[in-house]
Amino acid sequence: MKLADMTWMEVREYLKAASALIVPVGTCEQHGPHLPLGCDTLIAEAFADRISEATGVPVAPTLAYGVNLPCDLFMSGTAGFSFDGLRLCLADLLADWRRQGFRRFFVLTAHACAVGGFGFAHHEALKQAALPSMRDGACDVSILFPYWTDVADLLTKQSAVTHACEVETSLALHLFPEKVRTHLVRDPECGLRVERYRAFPEGVADGPPPDGWSGASGFPASATAEKGERIFARCLGPLVAHVKAGA
């Protein structure tokens, strides 16, 4: 159930019986030589669509930009919001939907910069965007992130998601294999070490990355479509359960 495909009268009828809405948030960010810039967006939309199928909660048009990693800002095609830009943009959208009668929001992102030195930036912007709509208790907002589910036992060389890695590449091979440049999939020399430059928000990268930096980390060469199918199912279950309980 996509909000963009509904008429305003159909939305009005929906709001007579329910008030929940799934809001996908993606990125336009480099994902190594083998995955498209919209990788996080495509994964978030896939989760949102399956949650909607299982719960009947409509999916809002995707906000396809997020807060990018500092080391990605010099990579061709990468573009996004500042911290305050994402916070204000999402806050405005939630306020508009709240005015119409939506009261339960599920903001879903697959942007995997949710751990480590700059983990708070993208997710914290989403959380702070929700605060104005939640302060009087009339609305509730959940931040949904698939990778909070443990998938370590499904992986070969990693224990969690990194960037354009075994996890994301496996999901891509399962969800949108036609967009994966399989002939360019190889493990970067850095392995699990992420090229951080200076961590957000202390500063941003002040120049392009070093020669030979692929933009990926982890071990994408270990990815398979079958592994992606299992990862997707594992992560989807808790998200569906949460939306069913909260909608």
Side-chain angles (χ1 to χ4, degrees):
M1 233 165 77
K2 292 185 181 295
L3 196 73
D5 293 335
M6 301 168 69
T7 68
W8 73 268
M9 289 176 284
E10 290 169 341
V11 175
R12 182 181 62 184
E13 288 302 306
Y14 170 79
L15 287 169
K16 290 178 181 179
S19 63
L21 184 65
I22 300 167
V23 185
V25 180
T27 63
C28 182
E29 183 176 79
Q30 73 81 19
H31 273 73
H34 62 286
L35 294 179
L37 293 166
C39 182
D40 289 338
T41 301
L42 294 166
I43 292 173
E45 289 176 337
F47 276 108
D49 289 347
R50 287 290 297 276
I51 294 168
S52 179
E53 290 173 7
T55 63
V57 176
V59 180
T62 304
L63 182 58
Y65 296 90
V67 180
N68 301 122
L69 284 171
C71 52
D72 291 334
L73 297 181
F74 286 86
M75 305 300 287
S76 299
T78 296
F81 292 113
S82 66
F83 180 90
D84 285 334
L86 178 58
R87 176 180 63 82
L88 293 170
C89 182
L90 181 59
D92 280 352
L93 289 173
L94 295 179
D96 246 10
W97 284 316
R98 176 182 175 179
R99 176 179 52 79
Q100 298 165 20
F102 288 98
R103 292 290 181 268
R104 186 72 174 97
F105 298 101
F106 300 95
V107 179
L108 191 157
T109 186
H111 190 23
C113 305
V115 293
F118 16 70
F120 78 89
H122 180 79
H123 283 217
E124 188 65 21
L126 302 181
K127 293 175 185 177
Q128 290 193 21
L131 292 180
S133 292
M134 296 176 66
R135 284 200 175 103
D136 59 7
C139 286
D140 194 15
V141 184
S142 294
I143 308 299
L144 305 184
F145 183 59
Y147 306 131
W148 281 328
T149 297
D150 185 9
V151 296
D153 61 304
L154 303 179
L155 306 179
T156 303
K157 290 190 174 182
Q158 297 175 209
S159 59
V161 67
T162 59
H163 188 69
C165 61
E166 183 179 0
V167 175
E168 290 191 322
T169 305
S170 292
L171 285 170
L173 288 169
H174 168 54
L175 297 171
F176 41 92
E178 73 285 355
K179 299 183 187 295
V180 181
R181 283 69 167 172
T182 53
H183 65 290
L184 295 177
V185 176
R186 59 180 57 87
D187 293 339
E189 293 182 4
C190 66
L192 289 173
R193 179 178 58 80
V194 178
E195 183 62 59
R196 283 186 167 84
Y197 286 43
R198 288 180 290 166
F200 189 99
E202 296 171 3
V204 298
D206 54 10
D211 291 340
W213 186 67
S214 74
S217 62
F219 298 93
S222 297
T224 67
E226 293 74 21
K227 195 177 295 182
E229 184 177 14
R230 294 194 295 272
I231 293 169
F232 187 78
R234 173 80 62 85
C235 295
L236 179 65
L239 301 178
V240 169
H242 181 81
V243 173
K244 280 185 175 179

